[in-house]
Each structure stands twice: as structure tokens, then as C-alpha cells.
Amino acid sequence: MSASPDEVRARFDRLKAREPILQVRGLCKTVPAKDGERTILNDVNFTTHRREFLCVVGPSGCGKSTLIRTIAGLEEASGGEILVAGQPVHGPGPDRAMVFQGYTLFPWLTVLGNVMFGLRMADKPKEEAAREARQWLDLVGLEPYADAYPHTLSGGMKQRVAIARALAIQPRILLMDEPFSALDARTRARMQAYLVDIWRKIDVTIVFITHDLDEAVLLADRILVLKTGPGEVVDLMEVPALRPAAGRTLDDPALRATLERLEGFIHAHETVVDDEPVTPVVRLASVAEEVD
Amino acid sequence: MLGVLSFVLPLALWSAVSYAPFLWHPLVEITDPGDVAYYSKGMRAPADAFAEEVEGMTASGQAPPQGIPANPVYLPAPHEVALALWAAATPAADAREEFRLSSSLWHSIQIIFWAFLISSAIGVPLGILCGSYSAIGRLTEPFVEFFRYLPAPAFGALCVAVLGIYDGPKIAIVVIGTFFQQVLIIAGTTRRADYALLEAAQTLGARNLRLVRNVVVPAVLPDLYNDQRILLGWAWTYLIVAELVGTSSGITFFITQQARYQHFENVYAAIFILGIVGFGSDLLLARLGRWLFPWRRTTA
Ligand SMILES: Nc1ncnc2c1ncn2[C@@H]1O[C@H](COP(=O)(O)OP(=O)(O)OP(=O)(O)O)[C@@H](O)[C@H]1O
Ligand SMILES: [Mg+2]
């Protein structure tokens, strides 16, 4: 059930008419290197709107993690600015929450304790924090595991707790750095469905890094494509479908075409090792393995 | 299984040397001095000298001495040490208090307890702060690093002059021996806190002291606990030196006294008890650690 081009255009017009939540302007990031400086991100510009689902793709080492960590306030920008709902970012703040690839749950706290953590840091009274945390656990379907410790949970469940913990502080933006790449294929598919489901229920803008192009096409409203050396924006692609939904499949010819275009972008900017092109590969994931 | 064997093997070796007369036994314990003027019953003579005397006495028609092969007095047999251990566990009422193993040991344990408590009360928080805030670390650690190379026993005379001759200087020496290592070790462990957890906590709004209290400390707590176990072992080592300072006391006094009277079975008993108390408390603490930190599967 491919959406008609008119429907799609109308939808993106509506999306872009919404208030901008995240504005990245002229963002640069340099790090000290042996011979002076190395540029990791060079003049990155993009805007995401309220309740948008933005995926970020690009070859390994192009600076995706650096970008999202700078947005999170964990790293300082070397130039340019980041605005969240119009306010410049200085350090981590409650308007942004992050889900990491490694689950980074606090092992000494129960599932409930983990979800309560941000609420307690915001000085919410204990009972209120616990009540709210249970609601978020309910949303990710883990209420029965409230008193379990993280090391007793499976990878998918851990990442659901991490999502609940991030959402509990009610951020404007949920930042996710390859959150599902450590999971097996089946769990990953289930988690993608969960995430879209949650995202549709609440008012949050998602910035989602992945090296899995299928995942990007299945999940995103728009896809930010980066290239490497230095990291720059190549394109901000609109995914021609009505809305990210658990029902999206790559059988849709429009989505197939998007996927092929994405692959074209990534191949055009493939890293060359020892002056020999890396063996042609279909998925970015395998490129990452070759270069590393 | 191999763990048990690692104890059984040395014990078997010790028993063999003690009970098999043809193994080692360089001396002869005199059972009957015969006509040798300078021999007396119970005395231990070198085997070759004894053989010469036997030969000499037989040649001159006098009564030869008799004896059985024996080990030197400093190597008592296992059963003698076991008896001493048993005697220590059931002290005779008439023994003077400082000659009793159990009360000596109790005195030593008290010294260790207070010294370790005092050292930890300052050393652990300071170490955590040094590990968490690089400014505090840079301010404190060079001095601590320097001080740690000053041998604690060297402060013995000073401690006695300041704190008197009783338990004060002993506690002080164990504290000096433990504290500086403790600050550095705890700081090092704190620095190894999982950085990803700290970042996650920061994105959830944890800052400064709250970050230290709610994330850094719980994140490294199982490791800190293990550090404390190792440090406690070191404190035992310093105890022995400390107890020689001022008036000798505790288990060390017991050991030196018993050695002076050549009651080597008691010396070994005391050393074994030190080992058993040390090893036993460590096993106990390891088990407690597994119970306290269930999410850490390897609290080895
Ligand atoms: N603090 C730093 N100092 C020096 N180099 C850094 C630093 N942070 C990142 N880099 C380098 O910057 C480049 C981009 O890193 P980044 O982790 O952002 O890439 P990525 O796109 O997330 O890669 P991947 O797909 O492997 O996760 C890498 O080459 C990395 O080595
Ligand atoms: Mg990355």
C-alpha cells in the first residue's frame, strides 16, 4: 500500500510547518591530532521538527556518534551552534535524553530504580517518582519486571528499560546511538516496532543513529546522510511513506527506491584503503567491518 | 578440589619429614646418656658426634649413650603443633594472661580493627574524592605518593614519643602503613568507574557531588570492597612490626616469648592462627561481597 506522491508531499509540508525542535547550525568539531588538528564534523546544518523521527546514517567513523554526543551536551562543539526549542545547548540538559548502544543501565539499581533515576535527580519525591516510573515501564511493557535487576534481563528488555528511563524525564528530544545494533535480528525487528509504537503515543522528537540502512528506511520520517573525512551532510532524504509504522515493509517499491538511493550515496563516499577500493558490498554494516 | 590438595601436599611433606626417621632427622635425641658426661636425657646431639661417642664408649668398655633420630627443635611435628593449638583453644586457668594465645590474638585483632577503621574513615572518602575530581587528586596525590615510600616502622620511635608506649603508637603505625596506600588504591579504582554510566547519568541530570554519590560510588563499590580486603591483608603485615614498638604486645609478643623458651610448637601454632584468622576472614568477606553485590558475578 504505497502512498501517493501527493499524500507524501502534503505530509512533509505539514511536518515542516511544525515548530523546529532541534536546529544544528554550522556545527564543527575538531580534535587535536599529531599534526595540528583533525576535523571530524565540518559545517553540519539541519533542522528537525516537533515529533519528527530522524535517522542519521553514514559510513563508519564519519562522526555520527560525535554529532549525537555534541547534541546531548556530552561533548563541546568547536564551532557553530545547536538550538533545542530555540535555546542554545550548553552541556547535558533535561530537554534531551540519550539511549546508548551499550545499555548503560545502573546495575546496582532495580529496573524501577533505573527508570526513577532521572526523576529523583529532578528532585521529585520518591512516591511520585515511583508512580511515574511505573507508568513508563508499563508503556514499554516491563511493569512486571519493576523489581528485577538489569543483569537478569535479556538485551531487548534492557534496551526497553533504557528507553523508559530516558523518556521518564520527558525530554523534547530522544537521542539514540545505534540502540539496537547489539541485538539479534528478530529482537531488533520487535524493538523497532515497539519504538515506533511508543513514539506515536508521546510527544517526542527522535534522532536515531544506525548503520543499518533498512532500519533507517523502516523507521524514519527523514534520513540525514553523512559522508566521511571530514563528516559533512550529503543529503536530508524524505522517506516517501505516510508515517513510520510497524507495518512499513521494504516490499513497497517507493521505499525500495529510497533504500537504493541511500546505498548509492554510501558507496559514492566509500573509504579507500591502500588505494584499492573496498570490495563492493551491499550493506553499510559490512563496510564498517572492512574499514575497521 | 585442587584447592584442598594445595593444602594437603605441604602438610603431607611436613608429616613425612617429621614421622619418617630416615628422612632428614640430622640429630639424635638422647634417651639414655650412658657414661657420656655432657649428655643428658632429652638433649639433641648431631648424629655424627653421637655415633663417635657410641664408638668411643664401646671401645673403652663404658656404657654407650642411647637415642632416637630427631629433627631440630625448631621443626616440631604436626601433632605437637596440633596439641599446642588445642591448648590455645582451651587455655589453662593458671597461665598468665599475656602468655595465652587467645588473649594475645584478641589484643592484636583489636589493634587491627581500630587502625583499619581510622584509616578507612579518612582514606576511603579522600580516595574517592581524589578519583572523582582531578583537581583534588593532583593536589593530594603527589604528597601521598611520596609519603607512601617512607617505611611505616621508621615512625615507631616518633609514635611512642607522641602517643606513649601502649596501644596508641601501634595503631598509629598500622594506620601510617595502610592509609597512604589506601588513598592511592581507592583513587585509582574510582577512576576506573565505567565512563559510559557516568555519561548516562549526566544526560539524566546528575551533577557534581550527586553524580559522585549516586553513580560513581555505587559503580565502583564492589571494587572498593575488594580493595579493602587486600588492604586489610596489608594491615596484618604492619601489625607484626607495630607490636614490637614500645612494650611488645599481642600475638607478636606471644611469638617472641615462646621462641625464647624454645616452645616452637607454640610459635607455629600462633603463626597458623594468624594465617587461619587472615585467610578465614578474607573468605568470609569474599562471601559477604557476593551477597552484597549480586550483580557482580565475579567477586573473586
Ligand atoms: N575525542 C576524540 N579524539 C580524537 N578522535 C576522536 C575523538 N572522538 C572521535 N574521534 C574520531 O572521530 C571520528 C568519528 O568518530 P565517531 O565515533 O563519531 O564516528 P561514528 O560515525 O559514530 O562511527 P561508527 O559508525 O563506527 O560508530 C573517528 O575517526 C574517531 O576516531
Ligand atoms: Mg558511533
Side-chain angles (χ1 to χ4, degrees):
Chain A
M1 31 134 233
S2 196
S4 81
D6 286 341
E7 282 175 316
V8 169
R9 195 169 319 115
R11 168 168 151 67
F12 278 103
D13 286 344
R14 284 201 304 277
L15 189 145
K16 284 184 223 164
R18 287 186 225 147
E19 63 175 301
I21 288 292
L22 172 67
Q23 289 163 282
V24 176
R25 293 189 189 149
L27 181 69
C28 294
K29 175 76 184 176
T30 54
V31 292
K34 271 177 275 147
D35 40 0
E37 279 187 337
R38 209 180 121 219
T39 304
I40 297 178
L41 290 174
N42 185 34
D43 193 25
V44 173
N45 292 284
F46 65 92
T47 298
T48 56
H49 298 266
R50 187 163 173 181
R51 302 199 68 178
E52 181 173 353
F53 197 131
L54 180 83
C55 278
V56 181
V57 300
S60 179
C62 69
K64 302 184 295 292
S65 296
T66 308
L67 173 65
I68 208 168
R69 288 169 53 82
T70 314
I71 297 172
L74 293 172
E75 280 184 40
E76 199 123 16
S78 314
E81 61 176 355
I82 296 169
L83 303 178
V84 173
Q87 299 299 311
V89 160
H90 296 291
D95 48 359
R96 286 148 292 142
M98 188 145 169
V99 172
F100 301 80
Q101 179 180 2
Y103 315 105
T104 66
L105 296 179
F106 305 122
W108 60 89
L109 295 177
T110 60
V111 165
L112 186 69
N114 268 280
V115 180
M116 280 169 66
F117 186 89
L119 301 169
R120 295 291 289 150
M121 289 299 121
D123 292 318
K124 283 233 164 103
K126 208 168 195 145
E127 292 76 38
E128 198 184 329
R131 196 160 35 76
E132 277 185 37
R134 280 186 193 280
Q135 285 169 6
W136 288 105
L137 277 178
D138 198 33
L139 185 73
V140 298
L142 286 179
E143 231 277 332
Y145 295 90
D147 296 322
Y149 280 87
H151 73 268
T152 62
L153 304 183
S154 71
M157 287 157 92
K158 279 185 202 160
Q159 207 53 302
R160 268 146 73 192
V161 176
I163 292 170
R165 181 179 71 173
L167 290 176
I169 64 171
Q170 305 210 17
R172 310 291 311 251
I173 306 176
L174 180 63
L175 304 166
M176 308 180 88
D177 189 353
E178 305 199 16
F180 305 149
S181 61
L183 305 175
D184 63 84
R186 202 126 62 75
T187 314
R188 191 182 319 152
R190 245 197 356 253
M191 291 296 294
Q192 290 166 353
Y194 265 123
L195 181 64
V196 168
D197 194 44
I198 292 167
W199 168 74
R200 289 172 64 176
K201 284 184 195 156
I202 60 177
D203 177 8
V204 70
T205 305
I206 297 184
V207 177
F208 186 107
I209 292 184
T210 178
H211 62 233
D212 180 348
L213 300 183
D214 291 3
E215 186 170 60
V217 171
L218 288 174
L219 293 181
D221 284 315
R222 295 193 293 171
I223 301 175
L224 184 75
V225 186
L226 299 182
K227 73 167 185 63
T228 188
E232 282 173 358
V233 177
V234 181
D235 195 12
L236 185 53
M237 276 166 75
E238 294 173 358
V239 180
L242 280 186
R243 63 189 342 179
R248 257 193 212 180
T249 74
L250 293 173
D251 298 337
D252 183 335
L255 295 185
R256 271 240 81 85
T258 307
L259 183 61
E260 270 152 31
R261 239 181 94 212
L262 263 183
E263 279 163 1
F265 272 131
I266 301 296
H267 287 180
H269 297 282
E270 243 167 28
T271 322
V272 174
V273 181
D274 290 337
D275 292 326
E276 272 185 25
V278 176
T279 12
V281 279
V282 185
R283 294 281 173 271
L284 185 59
S286 13
V287 176
E289 279 153 23
E290 298 275 341
V291 175
D292 285 343
Chain B
M1 197 59 234
L2 281 177
V4 174
L5 204 62
S6 81
F7 286 94
V8 168
L9 278 181
L11 189 65
L13 190 68
W14 181 27
S15 302
V17 171
S18 298
Y19 299 129
F22 49 87
L23 279 180
W24 201 35
H25 287 73
L27 303 182
V28 172
E29 185 177 347
I30 314 288
T31 48
D32 175 4
D35 286 338
V36 184
Y38 65 95
Y39 277 179
S40 60
K41 192 171 180 318
M43 181 181 172
R44 288 167 204 234
D48 47 355
F50 180 81
E52 260 172 45
E53 290 294 349
V54 172
E55 213 169 282
M57 288 294 139
T58 331
S60 59
Q62 290 171 288
Q66 285 173 10
I68 51 169
N71 278 326
V73 65
Y74 58 76
L75 184 70
H79 74 270
E80 293 172 301
V81 175
L83 280 177
L85 274 173
W86 176 248
T90 54
D94 59 325
R96 263 176 65 201
E97 197 179 347
E98 63 266 37
F99 287 105
R100 285 214 302 258
L101 184 51
S102 49
S103 55
S104 307
L105 185 69
W106 179 234
H107 186 256
S108 296
I109 288 175
Q110 282 173 308
I111 301 268
I112 281 277
F113 176 80
W114 287 113
F116 199 66
L117 196 72
I118 292 168
S119 176
S120 300
I122 311 168
V124 172
L126 184 61
I128 290 174
L129 284 179
C130 285
S132 305
Y133 296 99
S134 61
I136 299 181
R138 282 202 298 273
L139 184 69
T140 335
E141 280 177 75
F143 174 74
V144 171
E145 191 82 57
F146 162 73
F147 211 100
R148 151 176 103 108
Y149 282 102
L150 309 181
F155 291 89
L158 190 65
C159 290
V160 170
V162 176
L163 296 167
I165 57 168
Y166 298 108
D167 290 350
K170 303 175 200 307
I171 293 178
I173 286 176
V174 178
V175 169
I176 291 172
T178 314
F179 176 77
F180 297 95
Q181 316 276 358
Q182 193 166 35
V183 172
L184 294 178
I185 288 187
I186 300 284
T189 301
T190 306
R191 269 188 210 106
R192 285 196 302 277
D194 186 351
Y195 199 66
L197 290 184
L198 304 191
E199 288 191 333
Q202 284 176 334
T203 64
L204 293 168
R207 297 275 178 289
N208 302 325
L209 264 183
R210 281 181 124 189
L211 185 64
V212 173
R213 212 187 59 212
N214 291 304
V215 185
V216 176
V217 171
V220 297
L221 204 57
D223 295 321
L224 291 188
Y225 181 84
N226 279 339
D227 286 348
Q228 288 290 84
R229 267 171 58 203
I230 292 169
L231 284 160
L232 186 59
W234 289 358
W236 273 105
T237 328
Y238 280 106
L239 173 77
I240 303 301
V241 186
E243 284 184 338
L244 290 171
V245 165
T247 43
S248 292
S249 69
I251 196 89
T252 315
F253 176 71
F254 177 86
I255 290 176
T256 43
Q257 283 302 309
Q258 297 299 324
R260 189 166 298 158
Y261 299 137
Q262 302 232 321
H263 291 159
F264 285 99
E265 69 280 7
N266 287 341
V267 172
Y268 283 97
I271 293 175
F272 279 140
I273 286 196
L274 277 180
I276 292 165
V277 170
F279 187 65
S281 56
D282 194 60
L283 274 185
L284 225 75
L285 289 175
R287 183 152 295 190
L288 183 67
R290 275 197 289 275
W291 179 76
L292 281 174
F293 313 112
W295 64 89
R296 194 54 79 90
R297 260 153 293 172
T298 49
T299 319

